[in-house]
Amino acid sequence: MSTKAKKAAKKAAKKTTARKRSGMRGKRYSVEEKQEIIDFVIAYNAENGRGGQSAAVKKYGLSALTVGAWLKKGGNAGKGGRITSSFATIAINKKVSELIDLGDSIRKAEVELEKLRARYSMLSSNIRSSI
């Protein structure tokens, strides 16, 4: 083994040993923290079409792999979580909700229009009968 290879192996072993001794681990995120980040990604994508994962990586200082894993995890963020990764389903559900709201508004407007037509008809017939 060459001197460079020995030094590299020794350095790698030292890093591994130091990490084991210090108990270094990545930060553990709570379900609420994960959900906040996933909600941010979903909201960003809904507003901008895409790029939410990258924006979350920059905003929260996370690894893209971490955010991606949470998104892939789907309907569960651990115990009691609700992480959802299906952006298409979310977008469709949002549009369906908007359509339902719009349909309700149209129905209300149609009811009001019918009342106005009945009132107009009554007034116009009263005017005709008095002429």
Side-chain angles (χ1 to χ4, degrees):
M1 191 182 279
S2 71
T3 320
K4 280 186 177 181
K6 286 180 184 179
K7 284 183 180 180
K10 189 175 180 179
K11 190 174 184 179
K14 190 175 182 179
K15 272 187 179 179
T16 305
T17 307
R19 184 172 278 168
K20 284 181 183 177
R21 270 187 273 139
S22 68
M24 287 176 50
R25 279 182 116 172
K27 180 180 178 198
R28 298 295 181 224
Y29 291 89
S30 70
V31 173
E32 292 79 20
E33 289 172 316
K34 290 178 183 180
Q35 190 59 53
E36 176 188 343
I37 294 165
I38 297 304
D39 289 343
F40 171 82
V41 171
I42 292 168
Y44 189 95
N45 285 340
E47 187 177 312
N48 300 303
R50 64 185 195 152
Q53 186 172 345
S54 297
V57 166
K58 288 176 187 171
K59 180 176 180 177
Y60 295 99
L62 298 169
S63 162
L65 295 173
T66 300
V67 177
W70 293 346
L71 289 169
K72 278 185 182 178
K73 197 166 192 176
N76 222 342
K79 295 179 181 174
R82 63 172 182 85
I83 292 176
T84 304
S85 64
S86 178
F87 298 118
T89 301
I90 292 167
I92 289 170
N93 288 344
K94 184 178 179 185
K95 289 179 182 178
V96 168
S97 177
E98 288 177 28
L99 281 172
I100 291 169
D101 292 343
L102 188 58
D104 291 342
S105 297
I106 290 170
R107 278 187 282 287
K108 287 177 185 176
E110 286 174 341
V111 167
E112 186 63 29
L113 182 60
E114 283 302 312
K115 289 178 185 177
L116 292 171
R117 284 187 175 146
R119 189 170 159 205
Y120 179 86
S121 177
M122 185 179 72
L123 286 172
S124 65
S125 67
N126 286 344
I127 291 174
R128 283 188 210 140
S129 63
S130 31
I131 298 180

